Amino acid sequence: MGRSHRGRFAGLALLALLPAALAACGSSGQGGDTPPSGKAPAEEAAAKSRERVQAYLDALTARDAAAGRSQLCAPMHAAFDSAATGPNGDFADHFTVPEATITDVRSGPNGQEVSASITVAARSRKAARSLLFTVTRNGADWCISGEVPGGNTPEPVVSP
């Protein structure tokens, strides 16, 4: 095979592979949108949001404010630093959190919304509280961007 034949063969091979290479670039809306985890974007968002909030709840239970702070988006750090260990903060000295459970994860207008139910104890008194966390993507990572009292209402039940 002469030099010109090899060049022609290489060119034809490249042209034959070009459509497959372009299809993998995500022009169809699927290939490029699939996250490295192999999960669909909605599944990945729900899983990452659940992980972040669970880590925050674990920090509450363990009374580890630094671990809790690390789950938050950077803009929330200053408010957390000033309020977290204050008289009504999540990590106040007189509160303990013997139980914390995620009750719902769903997409919301500002990111993923994660509802949690926590039991807060102060001395001999206990109270159940609901919290709603908003988790957003920050570059390649996820972080908690909001926390408010309350939670998502249960999905309506459809009767047959």
Side-chain angles (χ1 to χ4, degrees), residues 3-159:
R3 182 173 248 184
S4 66
H5 290 309
R6 276 189 229 145
R8 225 179 266 165
F9 180 73
L12 287 174
L14 180 63
L15 285 175
L17 294 175
L18 187 60
L22 288 175
C25 288
S27 60
S28 68
Q30 288 184 341
D33 294 340
T34 304
S37 67
K39 294 180 180 178
E43 290 174 7
E44 180 192 22
K48 294 293 186 178
S49 297
R50 180 179 286 276
E51 287 173 16
R52 283 295 181 178
V53 172
Q54 187 60 57
Y56 187 83
L57 296 176
D58 291 346
L60 272 175
T61 304
R63 312 287 305 134
D64 187 347
R69 183 183 194 269
S70 70
Q71 304 310 312
L72 304 176
C73 296
M76 290 188 62
H77 288 179
F80 178 87
D81 293 343
S82 67
T85 57
N88 292 315
D90 288 354
F91 293 87
D93 288 335
H94 58 282
F95 291 141
T96 60
V97 179
E99 190 176 340
T101 307
I102 293 174
T103 58
D104 185 52
V105 179
R106 66 175 76 168
S107 183
N110 297 316
Q112 294 293 306
E113 294 180 345
V114 181
S115 296
S117 174
I118 65 170
T119 301
V120 179
R123 298 187 194 135
S124 63
R125 297 183 343 186
K126 289 184 180 181
R129 297 288 182 248
S130 294
L131 294 173
L132 181 63
F133 295 92
T134 301
V135 182
T136 56
R137 188 172 200 145
N138 184 9
D141 206 1
W142 294 81
C143 58
I144 296 172
S145 59
E147 174 191 345
V148 294
N152 285 322
T153 57
E155 290 288 334
V157 176
V158 178
S159 26

